[in-house]
């Protein structure tokens, strides 16, 4: 969490939370494509942020988590190697 890149991303995310809707640059959902030879089907990666604040709005804890997997015809198969590095 103390890596400069992670801190920069968190500052950007915090600024976007309070930005007006017509000037937002980040979106809750984003879609990327890869060449067919790199991936067999649809895959999903989710990066989430957990923020816990105290009664006087002091930050008590902040955490980024990542998970992902493949969308299959009959469900979802988790990819265990999705790791968020800080």
């Amino acid at each position: 969490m103390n890596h400069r890149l992670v801190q920069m991303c968190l500052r950007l995310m915090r600024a976007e939370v309070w930005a007006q809707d017509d000037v937002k640059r980040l979106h809750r959902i984003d879609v990327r494509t890869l060449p067919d030879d790199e991936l067999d089907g649809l895959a999903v990666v989710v990066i989430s942020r957990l923020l816990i604040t105290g009664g006087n709005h002091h930050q008590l804890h902040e955490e980024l988590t990542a998970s992902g997997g493949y969308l299959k015809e009959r469900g979802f198969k988790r990819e265990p190697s999705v790791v968020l590095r800080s």
Side-chain angles (χ1 to χ4, degrees), residues 16-61:
E16 285 293 307
V17 167
W18 302 109
Q20 298 293 323
D21 286 335
D22 60 339
V23 294
K24 285 190 184 273
R25 295 178 302 176
L26 293 179
H27 304 281
R28 292 177 184 251
I29 298 172
D30 201 1
V31 176
R32 300 285 186 219
T33 59
L34 294 173
D36 288 340
D37 61 341
E38 291 189 33
L39 197 58
D40 291 334
L42 293 176
V44 176
V45 175
V46 176
I47 300 174
S48 59
R49 175 180 174 234
L50 170 67
L51 176 64
I52 301 172
T53 58
N56 54 1
H57 302 290
H58 279 90
Q59 179 178 321
L60 301 175
H61 179 76

Side-chain angles (χ1 to χ4, degrees), residues 39-44 68-79:
L39 197 58
D40 291 334
L42 293 176
V44 176
Y70 306 97
L71 298 176
K72 299 291 184 183
E73 192 172 307
R74 293 198 171 143
F76 180 79
K77 179 183 176 209
R78 185 182 166 128
E79 172 59 56

